[in-house]
Amino acid sequence: MKNYSLRRVSPSTEALLARLNSWWRSPAKWIGWGDVPGVLEQISNSKEPLAIPFIMSFGIVGNERIRSQALSAIHRLFSSLPIEFLPLLDEALRPAWIPEDSWRGMTAEQISALPKSSDAELLYLNLMSCHQSGYVRAAALQILSAESTATSIPFILSRLVDWVREVRSAAEIALRNKLNPIHGDEFVRCLGLIGRLARNSRYRPEFTVWVEDLLRSRECAESLRRGLSAESKDVRRRCYRIAVSSPSFPFRDAILHAIADDDVVVRRWAFELATSRPGEDHDVIRRKAADDPYGPIRRMALEACLDRESIEPGELERYLYDRSATNRQLCQRAFSARLGLKPATFYRAAIRVPTAQPSASCVQGLAETGDPSDAILVAGALAGKSARVRRVVVQALGTLGVRGHEQRLCQLVSSDVLSVARVSAFTLLKKRAVPADAVWAAALENPDSKVHRGVLRLLRSTGKWQQLGYYLRAADSNDSDLLDCAIELMNLWVEKFNETFTPVSEGEALELIKMLELVRLGLPIALARKVEFILQNVSK
């Protein structure tokens, strides 16, 4: 459901449905069908299942062409609905109506007469199990229970939480009749739907047990295997849990499949389960966990390595360069406490390799374990091509010390990409390495206007009256985006004015008043008046 909301139809489809509704009300319906076929075709192409309730009545009209077109549209719309969202369609079907000849007027006696020779007609019968009348829903379930096809299974499952006891009983009987290995694929497809229904207070847990017991059977092993590659994450997660407890499904196959899944929840669960189970090849599992892109899973491999009585530096060294700060620091402590080695030594050696640019994790690691003398070594990586590495180097200098590198950081503010320029300005301002005026001047030299706005926001860390000066200067810019940013920050400055009581000299206040007069025409009238009032009062 990527292109529309499951809570409502899009405005364009809503307009098409309004045309159908107006046709029902119009005297022209006694003459012919007008543009109904064309409208139905357009709705069919919308791929919005929530339009189904509004065209259901056309599935029982006398005109065979219109009826067939409506059934085809309903079938096409339903095919774009993920089955776990069927309860939302169920809720939409009950209140939706069209004034006359509505499908809501169907009776239980009429249900048995509905045709069911095609897939579209059978789907229409399935949708009758969502009718507002409990008698109709029960009658539809009785017919669906006797059908040999699996398409009714999601509708039967949905009725297990029906608010009418007799309908729930009919759904339970129908479910028992469908618990057959030949329907294994459909039950697998409905596992996400079952998970959603299980949150309903009327759902009984034994329903899930019945389905899972069926899927654990030898006859459903292939259905379960296909479910491990399903598009739905919910389906895959449930299939894995069923597979590892299935006597007909090899545990190792399920685990190896799970640790290669693109769902991090599945991978983490698989690693935890495999390493807690005796007799499994834990080393293979740990090696795969160590290469996982998700940091907490790599930490599981690291912790398993640290649980050993003896460890070798070579086993741990890879974690010194982990992207996760938590993993790196855990490994650093282990190097110091258990091996008596200094992690900084490894980081320095890696950065000094002349043939390769140091990785960001190398620089971060040295900042975490090194000393101020390492700042010169780290600063050498500022010449690298990677913006990410340059950004990390600047952050490392903020930790190790920026003394002697102020001019280089100002150059980054004035010429580098936004991420690097911004962190350079932040570091200079935080460390008070250069005056804020120098940082602002460097930012204005940068050809990227986003840098101007980014640094202007950082200047909130300067003094109360100094901030206002920067905002007024920025408001004098020809860049409309910078002007908007300055206005936003000035509004915030005025709003928070009384939170601090910082004195201002008379000369500084008069200078700010002059600056305000220069940019007054570009500011909102109310904002200019508030700033002027503040400045006039503090200058007295």
Side-chain angles (χ1 to χ4, degrees):
M1 311 307 294
K2 297 179 180 178
N3 300 323
Y4 57 88
S5 169
L6 278 167
R7 294 295 178 185
R8 55 180 299 178
V9 295
S10 65
S12 57
T13 302
E14 191 173 1
L16 293 172
L17 296 173
R19 288 170 63 183
L20 287 183
N21 192 23
S22 64
W23 181 87
W24 281 108
R25 297 175 181 274
S26 171
K29 71 177 182 178
W30 303 109
I31 302 174
W33 290 96
D35 61 351
V36 169
V39 174
L40 285 174
E41 180 65 24
Q42 292 180 66
I43 294 173
S44 172
N45 294 331
S46 70
K47 297 183 179 180
E48 297 185 48
L50 289 189
I52 290 176
F54 302 95
I55 61 176
M56 283 291 289
S57 294
F58 289 94
I60 54 174
V61 296
N63 185 295
E64 180 59 28
R65 177 192 169 203
I66 298 298
R67 186 186 75 85
S68 177
Q69 190 171 8
L71 292 177
S72 177
I74 291 170
H75 188 268
R76 188 172 180 183
L77 291 171
F78 185 81
S79 66
S80 62
L81 177 75
I83 205 63
E84 56 264 33
F85 292 112
L86 179 58
L88 295 180
L89 177 61
D90 180 34
E91 292 176 8
L93 279 162
R94 290 193 297 277
W97 65 288
I98 296 179
E100 298 180 26
D101 299 328
S102 171
W103 77 287
R104 293 181 62 183
M106 293 285 290
T107 63
E109 291 73 23
Q110 293 174 299
I111 296 299
S112 59
L114 288 175
K116 46 183 181 293
S117 57
S118 67
D119 291 343
E121 290 172 341
L122 190 57
L123 173 62
Y124 195 84
L125 176 60
N126 285 322
L127 290 169
M128 282 296 169
S129 67
C130 305
H131 197 274
Q132 65 171 354
S133 167
Y135 294 106
V136 172
R137 295 197 301 277
L141 285 171
Q142 290 175 358
I143 297 174
L144 296 176
S145 177
E147 287 291 319
S148 60
T149 62
T151 56
S152 60
I153 288 175
F155 296 91
I156 291 171
L157 291 170
S158 294
R159 296 275 63 84
L160 292 173
V161 297
D162 199 280
W163 60 97
V164 177
R165 180 167 52 84
E166 289 77 9
V167 176
R168 292 200 300 273
S169 299
E172 181 178 339
I173 294 171
L175 175 61
R176 289 178 181 274
N177 290 338
K178 296 292 183 181
L179 290 172
N180 191 306
I182 63 173
H183 301 320
D185 285 343
E186 187 65 19
F187 276 112
V188 165
R189 191 172 78 96
C190 292
L191 286 175
L193 172 62
I194 291 173
R196 180 180 286 258
L197 295 172
R199 298 196 287 267
N200 190 297
S201 59
R202 289 188 289 268
Y203 186 87
R204 296 189 352 235
E206 54 261 40
F207 298 146
T208 301
V209 174
W210 295 348
V211 174
E212 291 185 352
D213 284 347
L214 171 68
L215 295 178
R216 287 190 187 96
S217 66
R218 187 176 302 277
E219 296 87 347
C220 288
E222 286 306 311
S223 296
L224 198 56
R225 189 179 297 276
R226 285 189 287 271
L228 301 182
S229 303
E231 183 178 350
S232 167
K233 288 184 178 181
D234 287 339
V235 170
R236 293 203 308 275
R237 290 173 185 177
R238 291 177 178 274
C239 281
Y240 282 120
R241 295 185 181 276
I242 296 170
V244 296
S245 60
S246 171
S248 58
F249 203 102
F251 177 86
R252 182 180 174 80
D253 288 359
I255 291 298
L256 291 178
H257 202 291
I259 60 180
D261 199 282
D262 61 4
D263 182 0
V264 66
V265 174
V266 169
R267 294 201 308 275
R268 185 168 186 171
W269 163 83
F271 285 123
E272 290 175 345
L273 180 62
T275 53
S276 66
R277 188 177 176 116
E280 294 300 320
D281 191 348
H282 292 173
D283 287 338
V284 173
I285 301 298
R286 289 192 191 107
R287 284 197 294 271
K288 290 184 176 295
D291 294 327
D292 196 272
Y294 186 54
I297 291 179
R298 296 196 302 277
R299 185 164 65 251
M300 290 168 56
L302 172 58
E303 290 170 346
C305 184
L306 295 177
D307 285 340
R308 298 176 181 175
E309 292 185 4
S310 62
I311 50 178
E312 295 295 328
E315 296 179 273
L316 283 183
E317 187 175 353
R318 65 178 299 165
Y319 297 104
L320 283 178
Y321 313 112
D322 198 277
R323 299 187 300 277
S324 165
T326 302
N327 294 355
R328 278 198 316 274
Q329 291 162 13
L330 179 59
C331 183
Q332 290 161 9
R333 290 194 293 271
F335 258 77
S336 301
R338 296 187 59 178
L339 299 176
L341 300 174
K342 294 182 178 180
T345 304
F346 290 83
Y347 293 127
R348 292 182 188 118
I351 292 176
R352 288 192 178 108
V353 173
T355 57
Q357 179 182 353
S359 66
S361 56
C362 262
V363 175
Q364 290 168 325
L366 187 54
E368 293 159 353
T369 60
D371 55 55
S373 65
D374 292 313
I376 296 176
L377 178 61
V378 166
L382 285 173
K385 295 182 179 180
S386 168
R388 180 171 181 266
V389 171
R390 295 197 303 275
R391 175 172 55 81
V392 169
V393 168
V394 174
Q395 291 170 333
L397 289 175
T399 301
L400 298 171
V402 298
R403 180 172 295 182
H405 306 286
E406 298 91 343
Q407 185 178 358
R408 183 70 180 97
L409 293 183
C410 283
Q411 290 175 352
L412 293 176
V413 174
S414 64
S415 60
D416 216 317
V417 296
L418 174 62
S419 62
V420 180
R422 190 179 186 282
V423 75
S424 299
F426 174 82
T427 301
L428 289 168
L429 291 170
K430 182 180 179 181
K431 296 298 180 179
R432 302 184 187 278
V434 297
D437 284 348
V439 176
W440 178 235
L444 291 177
E445 292 177 13
N446 197 301
D448 186 352
S449 61
K450 293 179 182 178
V451 172
H452 308 166
R453 299 195 298 275
V455 173
L456 183 63
R457 292 184 183 279
L458 292 176
L459 292 172
R460 289 178 60 190
S461 62
T462 60
K464 181 175 183 177
W465 301 103
Q466 197 176 5
Q467 286 179 48
L468 181 59
Y470 292 124
Y471 301 156
L472 290 172
R473 288 181 217 167
D476 195 27
S477 169
N478 293 326
D479 182 355
S480 60
D481 290 332
L482 184 58
L483 172 60
D484 291 342
C485 181
I487 291 172
E488 175 192 339
L489 292 171
M490 262 191 279
N491 275 313
L492 187 61
W493 184 89
V494 170
E495 181 184 329
K496 296 182 177 294
F497 175 77
N498 286 324
E499 292 184 4
T500 59
F501 299 94
T502 306
V504 59
S505 67
E506 182 178 351
E508 188 177 3
L510 292 175
E511 182 64 26
L512 289 170
I513 291 174
K514 291 179 183 178
M515 294 171 64
L516 175 63
E517 291 304 319
L518 292 174
V519 299
R520 177 186 287 273
L521 293 179
L523 300 179
I525 295 175
L527 175 61
R529 286 176 177 172
K530 289 177 183 177
V531 174
E532 183 180 35
F533 175 80
I534 290 172
L535 293 174
Q536 287 177 345
N537 277 275
V538 299
S539 63
K540 291 179 180 179

